[in-house]
Amino acid sequence: MKRRIRGARPPAAGLLILCLFFCAGALHAQRIRSMDFRSRSIADILLALADSAGTSVILDETVNGTATFHFSDSEFGDALMKFTEACRIHAVERGGIWYVSRIRAEGGKDAVNLAAEDVDIEALLKTLARNFGITILYDQLPKQQISLFIEGQSLQEVLELAVKKYPEYSVSNENGAFYLRRQIEGSGGAAARLSSSSIRKNGETYTAQIPRGNFSAVIALLFRTAGREYSLLQRNDTALENLSFAEKNFDEILHLVCEQGNSDFTVKDGIYYIFEVQRRDVLKKLREVRVIELRRLSAPEIAALLPAEYGSSSFVKIQPKTNSLYLSGSAEELDPIEEFISMAEERQAAFRQETYELKFIKADECIKLLPKHLAEAVQSFAGGKTLLAEVNDRLDGELREFLARVDKSGDGTAVRLKYINSEELLKSLPPSVSADELKTTFDPTLVFYTGTAERKKLFDAELALLDRMKPQIRYQILVIQYQKSHNSSWDPSLFINPVNSAEHIAGNFSNILNVNFDIISALGQNFAAQLNWQLGEDRARVLADTTLNGLSGQEIKFENTNTFRYLDAALDPETGKPLYTGTTREINSGLSLTVNGWVSGDGMITMKVNAKVSKQDEASALSSTNPPPTSERAVNTQVRTRSGAPIIIGGLMQIEKTESENKLPVLGHIPLLGYLFRKRVVSDVTTEMVIYLVPHVYSSLTGAEDSGQKCESYLKRYGGVL
């Protein structure tokens, strides 16, 4: 009995799945992604398309030119057909390979279907021979492109249509092969029309009457008639028609024939060498060059005025250095351009340059007021009072009339400044006034305005916003240095007892009554009691207690320093020992405080505070060390607060070692034995400097309160008894 393995698939099913997998991969490979090409070679576009789809594409020699095309995400076959149709080329798939050509030839020799556009005759013959498997021979063919669209005609009829334009060629079928033969002179056809009398010689001149003939045949007849030698270096032959020249010398008639055959010649050792040239080189001989020197307009100006059909770069070249134009072309092309330039020059003759001197307003301000057509006439102006314009009679009258209305004297008007001075005003001028319109005086609060009345109204409105009192700030500053020890305790004997629903305080505040800083109001009664005790116990010391005033935005500075001078002795360059001469230098130590505050629109005060405490080593004061050692503590901060709210800045700490000696009275003073009753104590003392700063928006001066007034204010505020 046969057993089937569970989970296994039949071989046929597995083969089917494998085939579907490869088919899906092949279908996926035939899709292309979106691509965009701009002015790229058609051959490059086709190769990129084939590479994207993973498909082989073969191009023949007829695929040329450039194209601009956008490919969307689609199947390769659809994209290729749309592109070849747009470029008028053909694509055929054979054996999985795509063949692309400008020629599509199908059917049989007796019924040919042909589509070819802009292809060389020689390439067409090769394609026909290859597709139909037949031999096609031909003589040298002209290098020209033709387009043929034929259905159901024989191959011989197709070949005859291909050379129909060239009557010197005939098509014959010999032994199963086709031969495109070019008829030689005298064999009949078009060339047979060239008889010996087509070109006649009359002395030194020649007359030619040629209805039709090949270029090579005409050249051969001409040189045979003249009895001269020549070498024809041109490969392509051209059919000439309707040549009629009379009484021309040999070189003249040869030039005329060569122009018809896109050729030129040169003579060397009596032999004429005839060679092919491009048609555009032949046409250059028919173009003439004219030089036009401009008298009133500049070359760039006339180039800008020329219409588009006249201003082509193939016609006009500008020479700015000589202010001239070079015109190149035929007489029919150049005559209208020259006529236009003459008309523009005559029109410009009516214009002249005029200078306008202004009396009161500046030229750069006047140009802003001019109408557009008058402003365009102005050629130059500077910061002075002169305008240079190019005008005719009409524009000159309009400009003078306008300046008469605008250029008027503005009577000087005195303006009294209230809170700012003239220097500050000139530093921050409002938009409605310039510095030239303001005249300062010896009085810094008085300026004269010399502008127009209309602008004076704008200036007054803007000055009202600027000339305002700057807020003044009063700074209450208290700087205290705290000394901390490890065995201190605080017992300020402060008590607060509620009596009859009122808050009474009792305590000793004698140590802070001499301090001008309102400690209780700003920092509270608990802090005041603690500071009073610390001052009494020498654990705190007031370094600064002052009130400073300054304007908003003004920097104020407070210093309480000591100056130490020392001699920086010079050294003897030979011995290296110090001399008794030198430079006296200074070291400042103590407290330095700088505050810069300004009042914002919402009434808040923003301050930059820079504090520095420096200290000179006391031991170095007795020594000769130069420079003496110093220590310094500094803090820089920026704070924002409302008026009357205190700011506390700390963190300026320093640790010092101190030595002290404790000894018993009498016994500690006994020589030698007294050491038993003495004790030397070495401890670390930490000192911290704290800055208490209260800014007030200052409105009026108030005198400093004495201690009695301060006590009375405390009683009223707290309802207690000191």
Side-chain angles (χ1 to χ4, degrees):
M1 182 176 64
K2 296 183 179 179
R3 298 175 59 189
R4 175 176 292 179
I5 301 175
R6 186 178 182 182
R9 295 181 181 270
L15 182 59
L16 178 60
I17 292 175
L18 186 61
C19 292
L20 290 176
F21 174 78
F22 282 110
C23 290
L27 289 174
H28 177 73
Q30 291 293 326
R31 291 194 65 84
I32 63 168
R33 63 181 185 277
S34 176
M35 293 183 291
D36 191 40
F37 298 93
R38 300 183 182 275
S39 299
R40 297 295 300 272
S41 169
I42 294 178
D44 292 342
I45 296 175
L46 289 171
L47 293 177
L49 188 65
D51 182 68
S52 176
T55 304
S56 298
V57 175
I58 298 178
L59 317 177
D60 66 4
E61 68 274 9
T62 64
V63 179
N64 51 27
T66 59
T68 298
F69 202 83
H70 173 75
F71 292 95
S72 60
D73 189 5
S74 60
E75 296 291 337
F76 170 76
D78 295 339
L80 180 62
M81 287 304 175
K82 291 179 181 178
F83 177 70
T84 54
E85 182 180 354
C87 297
R88 301 186 301 277
I89 56 180
H90 309 279
V92 178
E93 183 183 15
R94 292 195 296 268
I97 300 176
W98 289 88
Y99 296 86
V100 182
S101 174
R102 285 192 177 275
I103 303 171
R104 179 176 59 83
E106 300 173 346
K109 292 185 292 183
D110 296 332
V112 177
N113 296 327
L114 177 65
E117 185 173 355
D118 296 333
V119 296
D120 291 336
I121 300 177
E122 189 173 346
L124 176 62
L125 298 179
K126 291 180 180 179
T127 301
L128 292 174
R130 182 169 54 250
N131 286 9
F132 296 108
I134 194 169
T135 301
I136 301 177
L137 304 176
Y138 49 86
D139 291 338
Q140 183 178 3
L141 296 169
K143 292 291 184 180
Q144 293 187 2
Q145 294 182 340
I146 63 173
S147 298
L148 294 177
F149 296 91
I150 299 173
E151 290 187 4
Q153 296 190 21
S154 65
L155 183 57
Q156 182 165 353
E157 291 174 335
V158 171
L159 296 177
E160 289 175 352
L161 286 174
V163 296
K164 187 71 174 178
K165 183 180 178 181
Y166 312 104
E168 65 270 22
Y169 287 88
S170 62
V171 180
S172 61
N173 189 347
E174 301 175 4
N175 300 324
F178 290 95
Y179 183 26
L180 276 68
R181 181 180 288 105
R182 179 179 154 192
Q183 297 177 355
I184 61 176
E185 182 183 357
S187 62
R193 301 181 186 183
L194 284 177
S195 63
S196 58
S197 60
S198 296
I199 299 177
R200 299 188 307 274
K201 180 179 181 182
N202 300 320
E204 296 298 326
T205 62
Y206 297 83
T207 299
Q209 294 292 335
I210 304 173
R212 180 178 295 177
N214 293 336
F215 174 73
S216 59
V218 174
I219 290 295
L221 178 59
L222 177 61
F223 275 89
R224 186 168 59 250
T225 304
R228 304 192 186 195
E229 298 178 310
Y230 76 97
S231 175
L232 184 60
L233 304 178
Q234 180 174 321
R235 292 184 56 190
N236 298 328
D237 204 356
T238 306
L240 306 181
E241 295 180 355
N242 301 323
L243 300 183
S244 179
F245 308 116
E247 301 301 326
K248 305 292 184 185
N249 61 39
F250 181 78
D251 286 351
E252 288 176 345
I253 197 170
L254 180 58
H255 267 297
L256 294 172
V257 173
C258 287
E259 286 177 356
Q260 295 294 321
N262 297 334
S263 302
D264 202 353
F265 69 90
T266 184
V267 183
K268 187 174 183 181
D269 297 332
I271 300 176
Y272 286 78
Y273 294 91
I274 302 173
F275 51 88
E276 183 179 5
V277 295
Q278 297 294 329
R279 183 170 181 81
R280 62 175 178 269
D281 297 327
V282 177
L283 295 177
K284 289 178 182 178
K285 301 177 182 179
L286 305 177
R287 299 171 67 90
E288 58 177 296
V289 178
R290 302 179 188 178
V291 180
I292 300 179
E293 295 182 355
L294 303 175
R295 293 170 295 175
R296 297 181 178 88
L297 293 172
S298 65
E301 287 176 338
I302 199 66
L305 292 175
L306 284 174
E309 61 271 18
Y310 292 166
S312 172
S313 60
S314 60
F315 295 146
V316 182
K317 297 295 183 182
I318 300 175
Q319 182 55 260
K321 293 183 179 179
T322 60
N323 196 34
S324 56
L325 298 178
Y326 288 82
L327 308 183
S328 176
S330 64
E332 290 77 9
E333 294 170 335
L334 301 186
D335 287 343
I337 300 177
E338 189 170 359
E339 182 179 355
F340 180 87
I341 295 174
S342 300
M343 181 184 64
E345 288 264 273
E346 292 176 1
R347 176 76 172 79
Q348 187 64 22
F351 285 81
R352 63 186 183 277
Q353 287 187 343
E354 291 286 348
T355 301
Y356 303 88
E357 297 292 340
L358 304 175
K359 297 180 180 180
F360 304 104
I361 63 175
K362 283 191 172 184
D364 53 356
E365 296 177 357
C366 179
I367 198 69
K368 299 177 182 178
L369 304 175
L370 288 174
K372 183 178 180 181
H373 70 286
L374 294 180
E376 292 175 349
V378 177
Q379 291 184 325
S380 64
F381 62 91
K385 297 182 177 181
T386 302
L387 289 178
L388 180 64
E390 188 171 10
V391 295
N392 55 16
D393 294 339
R394 180 182 58 82
L395 290 177
D396 178 60
E398 291 184 13
L399 186 56
R400 292 187 184 277
E401 181 182 358
F402 184 84
L403 293 180
R405 295 197 307 265
V406 175
D407 189 21
K408 293 183 179 180
S409 173
D411 297 333
T413 304
V415 178
R416 178 68 68 177
L417 304 176
K418 297 179 181 179
Y419 304 106
I420 62 176
N421 55 39
S422 57
E423 182 180 357
E424 293 175 328
L425 177 60
L426 292 176
K427 286 182 179 179
S428 55
L429 286 175
S432 62
V433 67
S434 62
D436 295 334
E437 294 175 329
L438 293 179
K439 305 299 181 183
T440 59
T441 64
F442 67 92
D443 186 353
T445 65
L446 180 64
V447 296
F448 284 92
Y449 176 77
T450 61
T452 61
E454 291 77 7
R455 298 183 64 182
K456 174 65 166 53
K457 295 179 181 179
L458 296 176
F459 174 60
D460 290 340
E462 294 171 347
L463 184 61
L465 300 176
L466 294 176
D467 191 14
R468 292 188 176 185
M469 179 188 298
K470 285 187 177 180
Q472 189 171 358
I473 306 175
R474 175 165 54 92
Y475 303 94
Q476 288 183 321
I477 302 173
L478 177 65
V479 183
I480 298 179
Q481 179 174 308
Y482 294 96
Q483 180 174 329
K484 300 179 181 180
S485 59
H486 300 290
N487 56 357
S488 64
S489 60
W490 175 50
D491 184 14
S493 300
L494 175 67
F495 57 91
I496 302 175
N497 293 322
V499 179
N500 298 327
S501 300
E503 187 180 75
H504 298 272
I505 59 173
N508 184 10
F509 294 97
S510 60
N511 293 325
I512 65 173
L513 290 179
N514 294 326
V515 178
N516 292 324
F517 190 91
D518 193 352
I519 299 174
I520 298 178
S521 299
L523 304 174
Q525 62 270 21
N526 290 333
F527 177 83
Q530 181 181 2
L531 179 60
N532 183 78
W533 175 80
Q534 290 174 325
L535 292 174
E537 294 294 325
D538 289 334
R539 297 187 180 278
R541 183 162 60 98
V542 178
L543 297 183
D545 176 24
T546 184
T547 299
L548 302 177
N549 296 281
L551 297 178
S552 176
Q554 179 184 8
E555 181 179 276
I556 61 172
K557 189 172 184 179
F558 172 80
E559 289 186 347
N560 185 9
T561 59
N562 296 321
T563 302
F564 174 76
R565 296 178 177 86
Y566 66 95
L567 181 65
D568 189 2
L571 298 179
D572 190 343
E574 296 181 357
T575 62
K577 296 181 179 181
L579 301 176
Y580 292 101
T581 61
T583 304
T584 301
R585 303 187 184 278
E586 294 182 352
I587 292 180
N588 294 325
S589 60
L591 171 65
S592 177
L593 178 65
T594 302
V595 182
N596 189 344
W598 65 278
V599 181
S600 59
D602 57 357
M604 299 293 286
I605 304 174
T606 303
M607 296 174 290
K608 291 182 179 180
V609 183
N610 300 326
K612 180 174 65 175
V613 176
S614 58
K615 182 179 180 182
Q616 179 189 349
D617 190 357
E618 296 179 358
S620 64
L622 304 176
S623 65
S624 59
T625 304
N626 286 333
T630 59
S631 60
E632 183 177 277
R633 291 164 289 169
V635 62
N636 298 325
T637 185
Q638 184 169 352
V639 294
R640 178 179 173 89
T641 183
R642 65 180 182 275
S643 177
I647 298 297
I648 303 175
I649 303 173
L652 298 173
M653 303 181 67
Q654 186 175 6
I655 300 176
E656 297 179 343
K657 288 185 178 295
T658 60
E659 292 185 7
S660 61
E661 187 177 44
N662 299 329
K663 53 187 176 181
L664 294 175
V666 181
L667 296 178
H669 294 279
I670 299 174
L672 298 179
L673 185 62
Y675 285 105
L676 299 176
F677 303 97
R678 300 176 187 173
K679 182 180 180 182
R680 183 174 298 276
V681 179
V682 179
S683 62
D684 292 337
V685 178
T686 301
T687 60
E688 180 183 8
M689 186 188 72
V690 180
I691 301 172
Y692 302 93
L693 176 61
V694 182
H696 298 271
V697 178
Y698 184 70
S699 58
S700 62
L701 294 174
T702 56
E705 295 179 328
D706 56 17
S707 59
Q709 292 174 327
K710 190 175 295 186
C711 290
E712 185 179 353
S713 65
Y714 291 157
L715 287 172
K716 292 179 180 180
R717 185 174 303 166
Y718 298 105
V721 180
L722 293 177

